[in-house]
Amino acid sequence: MPKYTQLKVNSTINYNSTFSQFLAYSNFFALTDVATPRFLSSLYNMPAGMRVNHGSNQSVAEFYGEFYSNSDLEQFFYLSGLPNATIPVANVLGDLPNNQSDPGGEAQLDVEYLMALAPGAETYFYSMKGYNPTDPVNTTEHNEDFLSYLEIIDDMPYPPLVHSLSYGDVEATIFNASNPGAVEYGEACDEKFMEYGILGITFVFSSGDDGIGGAQMREDVDLSCSQAWPEWPASSPYVTTVGATQMTDKYLPVCGLQYAPKPTAPYDSLPDSIALPMQCTGTAETVCTAIFGGVITSGGGFSDFYDRSLAPWQESAVSNYLRSANAAAYPPTTYFNPNGRGYPDVATYGSNYFIYLDEMIQRESGTSASAPVFAAMVTLWNDIRLAYGLPPMGFIAPFLYSIQATNPDAFNDVVTGDNACSVGGSMSDTSCCTYSFAASSGWDAVTGLGSPNFEIISNLVINNGTAFPNLGAYPAGTASTTYVDSGDDDNDETKSEALAAIVLASVAFALAAAALVMVLIRSGAAESHSAIDKPLMHSAANRA
């Protein structure tokens, strides 16, 4: 049986025709197999007792009537050995009132881990109805109204610094030119992501739970496996996207080689002796995949809509992946767009989280868990910067790629696993495609740069004076924007001036990133690759 797969046994011993003895049920999961705040803090080298003390704040956004309960949150903190914390009523925003008597697993998971890993941070909760204006079918199976959520942020004088979102849609349904207004909707969201990133606000999105085939893997496997189906906003170059890992004792290719009697291409020329059984000690991270008990499979791949020239900070890392020794095992270039923006950017643990929901202990899995874990880290890094009088991090993806190139120990490299499969509780209800993206040394299209080493990155966030080119919109030591959109003309003029400055800062930012890429190219660390033309949907179907 794959590790962590559910197994329930009801055994009887028949002594005669009238008597039998029930023995036992096996445990679903051992306690050590479940993710908790303490486990995650230890895994990612987060110092015990760390708290937010300098004004850094954060939020989650929920759609489709996903609510959270403060009483469940209180019990979660108690069972986790953490001080109690709540979200003030004034911090619950959106167009759908939060119904605490009907909490959902998605919302409770997001709130519990965002707050547990960034204790002391003021937290906001956005409750949204869903349905973007171009949604062709008005059901909970379709697209979230991200733009309405972003417009609520636009009306706030002091928006939260970090936003964690565990939702998304298939990119092809968003940028569908045959659907009136669809492309304009997606581009309007991107414009907001860019604007807020430069102003010092970070958007963290989950990469999706159904691997290379996207959310329709649960309904139409043939369609899903006909090509790679990138998810959005995960694929947007203007957000930071998080994939999922799980623990394994086969964290290196050499581990457990008894399951591969002969190396396959491109290593089939290696001697037979390399296939001798090899057991590795301990455990480490691998790609989270349902086929090995992870319940979900980490999303990842390459955008069909965004060219990678829009994300020059990742060009070197992604090109290295595409030309690596493992490239022969990747999908053919007719299956995906090798010139697209690659995602995810990073990954964190995503399997079998302990949560408290509906007055009971439950377990949840997903990149839905990975996103708030990483978002909480960003909140803590922001707080470190605010303590030193530095502005918040804002759009952090370029910083992450730059430190991986110069400080590879800042990330735990994940080198085993792939994203061929869908969500599934067991092997019998998991669908898998022939082609997939595999983990690899350095950046890969399943776990990004790897999982973060919090302590190392903490040192780097205060020793990179030019890494965060925002406008200083948040005064030192505070969490507030310099303009408020009150609807009056004078304020609109102020905002227009701010946006003009954003454009200039963005251009300077892109030029600086491009210059870095050119340096790497000249040093032989990057090279161009040939272009390819490729034609251009999450649970409830859309949650990650």
Side-chain angles (χ1 to χ4, degrees):
M1 296 287 288
K3 195 172 184 181
Y4 309 144
T5 298
Q6 183 178 8
L7 175 65
K8 182 176 284 188
V9 180
N10 183 354
S11 300
T12 62
I13 299 175
N14 292 310
Y15 294 97
N16 54 46
S17 61
T18 61
F19 179 81
S20 67
Q21 176 64 52
F22 168 73
L23 293 182
Y25 286 107
S26 65
N27 288 332
F28 184 6
F29 288 96
L31 182 61
T32 54
D33 297 334
V34 178
T36 64
R38 182 171 294 183
F39 164 80
L40 295 165
S41 296
S42 175
L43 182 63
Y44 297 126
N45 203 18
M46 302 173 71
M50 192 170 186
R51 290 183 60 81
V52 169
N53 295 305
H54 301 282
S56 184
N57 54 17
Q58 58 189 6
S59 77
V60 297
E62 306 294 337
F63 299 81
Y64 312 126
E66 275 285 334
F67 308 122
Y68 86 97
S69 161
N70 269 322
S71 61
D72 283 347
L73 181 60
E74 179 179 13
Q75 190 67 15
F76 172 81
F77 285 132
Y78 169 74
L79 293 171
S80 299
L82 297 169
N84 188 34
T86 59
I87 299 176
V89 173
N91 288 8
V92 179
L93 308 169
D95 56 15
L96 188 64
N98 182 53
N99 182 0
Q100 294 199 46
S101 66
D102 185 26
E106 175 66 63
Q108 209 67 40
L109 169 68
D110 292 347
V111 168
E112 288 176 356
Y113 279 86
L114 185 69
M115 297 179 69
L117 293 174
E122 184 176 13
T123 301
Y124 291 75
F125 183 90
Y126 295 86
S127 179
M128 307 300 299
K129 292 178 181 178
Y131 319 137
N132 78 51
T134 68
D135 186 2
V137 182
N138 191 28
T139 74
T140 56
E141 302 296 316
H142 289 76
N143 308 334
E144 302 84 356
D145 188 0
F146 291 117
L147 191 56
S148 290
Y149 152 72
L150 292 167
E151 288 171 346
I152 291 175
I153 297 173
D154 205 33
D155 290 335
M156 296 180 69
Y158 310 119
L161 294 175
V162 179
H163 297 254
S164 176
L165 295 99
S166 296
Y167 294 80
D169 306 293
V170 174
E171 185 185 78
T173 67
I174 297 297
F175 295 102
N176 181 357
S178 65
N179 186 9
V183 176
E184 292 81 0
Y185 164 81
E187 291 176 341
C189 290
D190 280 336
E191 182 179 331
K192 292 296 183 183
F193 294 143
M194 285 190 284
E195 172 186 336
Y196 292 129
I198 297 297
L199 285 174
I201 295 173
T202 304
F203 287 93
V204 176
F205 276 89
S206 57
S207 69
D209 291 345
D210 291 272
I212 194 170
Q216 69 252 11
M217 277 284 284
R218 309 180 194 192
E219 299 176 0
D220 191 336
V221 176
D222 290 339
L223 173 65
S224 297
C225 293
S226 65
Q227 65 172 72
W229 292 93
E231 300 236 345
W232 183 89
S235 65
S236 172
Y238 314 117
V239 304
T240 301
T241 304
V242 187
T245 66
Q246 67 184 93
M247 300 302 286
T248 182
D249 56 359
K250 299 175 180 60
Y251 52 89
L252 293 174
V254 71
C255 303
L257 274 176
Q258 65 268 36
Y259 300 108
K262 173 68 178 175
T264 57
Y267 303 111
D268 48 357
S269 62
L270 294 173
D272 291 345
S273 60
I274 199 171
L276 291 174
M278 175 68 71
Q279 293 297 322
C280 300
T281 59
T283 60
E285 290 172 283
T286 189
V287 173
C288 188
T289 177
I291 200 67
F292 290 127
V295 183
I296 64 97
T297 300
S298 182
F302 295 83
S303 172
D304 287 328
F305 183 79
Y306 305 99
D307 191 85
R308 198 157 57 253
S309 63
L310 296 171
W313 46 85
Q314 70 165 195
E315 176 60 38
S316 176
V318 176
S319 294
N320 286 341
Y321 175 72
L322 290 171
R323 67 165 184 259
S324 73
N326 296 322
Y330 301 163
T333 54
T334 54
Y335 197 84
F336 73 103
N337 175 21
N339 300 302
R341 181 280 212 255
Y343 76 98
D345 299 299
V346 293
T348 62
Y349 199 79
S351 178
N352 297 306
Y353 274 60
F354 146 66
I355 70 167
Y356 198 82
L357 172 67
D358 273 341
E359 302 181 351
M360 67 180 70
I361 293 174
Q362 299 192 33
R363 293 179 178 87
E364 287 277 343
S365 297
T367 54
S368 291
S370 305
V373 169
F374 185 74
M377 295 185 194
V378 179
T379 295
L380 293 172
W381 291 325
N382 273 341
D383 207 56
I384 294 171
R385 288 180 58 82
L386 293 173
Y388 281 84
L390 299 170
M393 301 176 77
F395 181 49
I396 65 170
F399 164 73
L400 298 174
Y401 284 86
S402 69
I403 63 171
Q404 193 273 340
T406 57
N407 299 269
D409 289 344
F411 296 92
N412 307 305
D413 202 2
V414 180
V415 298
T416 58
D418 60 50
N419 67 347
C421 301
S422 67
V423 164
S426 66
M427 288 184 290
S428 63
D429 64 2
T430 301
S431 300
C432 300
C433 298
T434 300
Y435 295 118
S436 65
F437 296 110
S440 181
S441 178
W443 183 90
D444 59 65
V446 201
T447 63
L449 300 168
S451 62
N453 186 319
F454 178 86
E455 193 163 39
I456 291 178
I457 297 177
S458 295
N459 290 323
L460 297 172
V461 300
I462 56 174
N463 289 299
N464 281 270
T466 61
F468 308 102
N470 75 50
L471 303 178
Y474 290 79
T478 69
S480 60
T481 57
T482 55
Y483 69 84
V484 180
D485 188 358
S486 61
D488 60 71
D489 293 339
D490 290 341
N491 193 68
D492 287 343
E493 183 177 351
T494 302
K495 183 174 181 179
S496 295
E497 293 172 355
L499 291 178
I502 290 169
V503 172
L504 292 175
S506 300
V507 171
F509 183 37
L511 289 173
L516 174 61
V517 173
M518 289 306 297
V519 168
L520 293 172
I521 290 173
R522 293 191 187 103
S523 66
E527 64 183 31
S528 61
H529 54 272
S530 58
I532 160 179
D533 292 327
K534 180 179 183 296
L536 292 179
M537 170 175 253
H538 130 17
S539 73
N542 288 51
R543 58 163 281 202

